Amino acid sequence: MDVYLTTTIPYVNARPHLGFALELVQADVLARHFRRSGKVRLQAGTDDNSLNSVLAAEAAGVGVQEFVDGLAEEFVGLAEPLSLSFDDFIRTSRDPRHPAGVERLWRACAESGDLYRRHYEGLYCVGCEQFYAEAELVDGRCPDHRRVPQRISEENWFFRLSRYADRLHDLISSGRLRIEPAERRNEVLSFIAGGLEDFSVSRSTERARGWGIPVPGDPGQTVYVWWDALGNYVTALGYGHDGEDYRRWWAGDARRVHLVGKGVVRFHAVYWPAMLLSAGLPLPDEVLVHGYLTVGGRKISKSAGVTVDPVELVREFGVDAVRWWLLREVPRSGDADFTTERLVARADDELANGLGNLVQRVVSMVHRYRDGVVPVGEVPELAAVCEEAPASVDAALADFDFRRATGAVWQVVDEANRFVNRVRPWELAKAGDPHLDAVLAGLVDACRAAGDLLEPFLPDAAARVRRQCAGRRLPRPEPLFPRLR
């Protein structure tokens, strides 16, 4: 089946951080995994049309377009250091597909009678770009950004979200709109059960500083950045002109999967589906939600000043170590605290000492005892582990559990290492034991299986493993992973 897989599109008011890199790497793993059995479109992008960007540009003393252009390049530039395999990358301030699609979506909802103007006064967090009720604040501050929100009073366009409460509750509770993990699904259902209020979908052009997409037919209003940004999932497909990509990846039979952080679940699992219902468009099939990365217990956040540069991490420790930590340490549900010590320990223990040492030992023994030629034979216990692992990886990724998926890969590596230590092939060689052929062949097969299984998670490392174990006559052994400490 075709799969359309998207990441959220972050504000470009500061440089990208490791928290967003987590989402990109998770999406890349899923895309590479799905490509093994079908066609995939992996899409990311940047949310340029935010008041955050306007304020940051003003603080920097440069024009808004110049400011977002420079930072957006850094987000696009994450693809190479993180070994990402995007098929498309949309920029909401530059891509001509976007405003046409936003306008069409707006008009479709207006035709359904779901857009209306009224005066509104509320507490607005610029960092989140959303209004908060008093009860949602913590000590009078935004729960994410820890800032006192602004009190805003103006006339805006509103969307009739309240009209869709029952339909949304039915879609989510029945699983037709799948939200994982379960605690996030329950969070959304509880939010809906508490009553949905219509929400503001425009801002005065004056308050938006003239930045963003004008409301169709009302140039004094600018489309609310979240409405604008959520539309990217269809605008990048050419929805504005009913393009072929839209017909294939959204209106067709493709599986539509959104990957999002827990802080924006409400927008993707409530607001966005309601907008699509109003416009008469298909809904996403799945919303897969990851937790936060923290440093010292504080959420990694540009606005909070808690940040880790993923490019610098890759430059210092390598892409394999960075991707491996993100996939092995972050739980399916909950947050993960980052330290370089944990990253280094995980890479040295499992990549260098585990897989790297296994492959080098096995290839070295094939050269020492069989002149580099892989003998014929099989080790049933290793073969069984290798045969079971792909199904375990499939099941874990279907459950959006990267830690369990990489654990299934590592079971092959661990079992092969235990087998080497238990059988001690060097003693079989010394004794002239004919069973050595089967032992070496089985170990080479296990290394090859590990390389194949590893490909979605660590594509660069997987390619090195496969090269080291390729063919009947193996190349000379080379170190696969450096020790970081």
Side-chain angles (χ1 to χ4, degrees):
M1 170 182 275
D2 290 352
V3 179
Y4 177 44
L5 178 64
T6 69
T7 71
T8 55
I9 57 172
Y11 298 141
V12 285
N13 59 327
R15 300 180 66 191
H17 58 65
L18 190 62
F20 184 57
L22 166 66
E23 184 170 305
L24 297 178
V25 170
Q26 288 181 337
D28 183 68
V29 170
L30 292 177
R32 291 177 185 274
H33 177 70
F34 294 147
R35 287 187 187 114
R36 294 183 162 191
S37 57
K39 299 292 186 181
V40 174
R41 179 188 176 96
L42 173 58
Q43 180 178 299
T46 54
D47 180 2
D48 301 353
N49 298 329
S50 163
L51 182 56
N52 282 284
S53 299
V54 175
L55 298 177
E58 289 178 353
V62 299
V64 183
Q65 190 69 68
E66 178 186 353
F67 181 82
V68 299
D69 284 349
L71 284 174
E73 284 303 311
E74 297 200 34
F75 283 88
V76 175
L78 290 175
E80 182 176 352
L82 291 174
S83 294
L84 305 173
S85 57
F86 295 126
D87 297 295
D88 196 7
F89 193 99
I90 183 170
R91 288 197 48 211
T92 58
S93 72
R94 284 291 193 187
D95 198 310
R97 297 172 295 181
H98 188 64
V102 169
E103 180 173 342
R104 184 181 180 189
L105 184 63
W106 182 280
R107 294 189 185 280
C109 292
E111 289 171 7
S112 295
D114 287 330
L115 297 177
Y116 64 97
R117 282 191 70 151
R118 74 174 172 89
H119 182 269
Y120 184 77
E121 183 172 322
L123 297 171
Y124 191 74
C125 173
V126 176
C128 297
E129 293 274 19
Q130 77 174 85
F131 283 99
Y132 280 98
E134 292 270 9
E136 294 178 295
L137 303 178
V138 178
D139 298 326
R141 297 175 179 271
C142 164
D144 261 358
H145 294 91
R146 315 302 298 172
R147 297 175 182 166
V148 176
Q150 302 174 5
R151 182 164 291 279
I152 300 297
S153 177
E154 64 183 21
E155 185 170 295
N156 299 141
W157 286 91
F158 275 71
F159 175 74
R160 298 186 194 277
L161 181 65
S162 55
R163 177 179 287 181
Y164 296 95
D166 291 342
R167 291 177 68 182
L168 289 171
H169 194 281
D170 179 57
L171 285 164
I172 295 167
S173 60
S174 68
R176 282 177 286 169
L177 173 52
R178 179 188 178 214
I179 301 174
E180 292 292 345
E183 69 181 78
R184 299 303 164 204
R185 178 170 63 254
N186 294 336
E187 172 189 318
V188 171
L189 289 172
S190 177
F191 176 70
I192 295 171
L196 296 183
E197 296 184 356
D198 297 352
F199 71 100
S200 171
V201 293
S202 73
R203 303 289 179 261
S204 69
T205 300
E206 180 183 3
R207 185 155 67 88
R209 312 287 211 277
W211 182 251
I213 298 175
V215 168
D218 189 353
Q221 293 279 305
T222 298
V223 176
Y224 173 40
V225 66
W226 269 105
W227 178 288
D228 173 330
L230 288 166
N232 94 91
Y233 302 125
V234 294
T235 66
L237 299 173
Y239 165 70
H241 303 97
D242 196 28
E244 181 180 344
D245 284 338
Y246 171 77
R247 293 194 299 273
R248 175 180 179 181
W249 296 103
W250 197 268
D253 295 330
R255 178 179 166 194
R256 299 173 291 273
V257 182
H258 293 325
L259 188 59
V260 309
K262 70 178 184 180
V264 295
V265 174
R266 181 185 306 182
F267 296 99
H268 289 83
V270 179
Y271 294 3
W272 174 232
M275 291 160 58
L276 294 168
L277 288 171
S278 175
L281 304 183
L283 269 60
D285 297 296
E286 299 166 73
V287 179
L288 306 179
V289 188
H290 62 81
Y292 290 147
L293 293 186
T294 60
V295 174
R298 298 177 63 201
K299 174 194 169 188
I300 291 180
S301 166
K302 294 174 292 189
S303 56
V306 181
T307 188
V308 177
D309 187 334
V311 176
E312 286 298 321
L313 277 185
V314 169
R315 188 173 292 122
E316 183 172 0
F317 300 112
V319 63
D320 298 321
V322 173
R323 284 180 65 119
W324 195 241
W325 186 88
L326 292 170
L327 298 168
R328 288 291 276 155
E329 295 278 347
V330 178
R332 178 175 183 266
S333 180
D335 302 337
D337 201 62
F338 173 79
T339 67
T340 56
E341 290 77 15
R342 289 174 182 157
L343 181 148
V344 167
R346 178 68 74 171
D348 280 351
D349 180 50
E350 293 188 335
L351 298 183
N353 297 341
L355 178 58
N357 187 51
L358 171 68
V359 173
Q360 192 162 23
R361 290 172 82 187
V362 169
V363 174
S364 295
M365 287 189 291
V366 171
H367 276 274
R368 184 178 304 120
Y369 305 131
R370 293 296 181 266
D371 296 322
V373 177
V374 180
V376 176
E378 183 182 71
V379 177
E381 59 193 280
L382 288 181
V385 173
C386 294
E387 289 170 5
E388 294 166 3
S392 297
V393 172
D394 289 349
L397 292 181
D399 203 29
F400 190 52
D401 193 333
F402 297 93
R403 180 184 281 180
R404 180 155 56 93
T406 51
V409 177
W410 227 247
Q411 188 173 356
V412 173
V413 177
D414 281 344
E415 184 59 35
N417 273 317
R418 284 193 293 268
F419 180 79
V420 170
N421 294 333
R422 183 172 68 252
V423 173
R424 303 172 72 83
W426 50 91
E427 293 187 357
L428 297 181
K430 186 176 180 180
D433 192 324
H435 184 52
L436 180 62
D437 279 352
V439 166
L440 294 177
L443 286 169
V444 171
D445 286 343
C447 292
R448 289 170 174 167
D452 289 339
L453 291 165
L454 196 62
E455 194 280 332
F457 308 98
L458 301 182
D460 297 10
R464 295 197 302 273
V465 172
R466 289 196 296 263
R467 284 196 300 270
Q468 189 73 86
C469 301
R472 181 74 189 283
R473 181 178 292 276
L474 303 183
R476 300 297 304 182
E478 297 179 357
L480 294 179
F481 301 95
R483 282 191 58 82
L484 301 180
R485 287 289 186 269

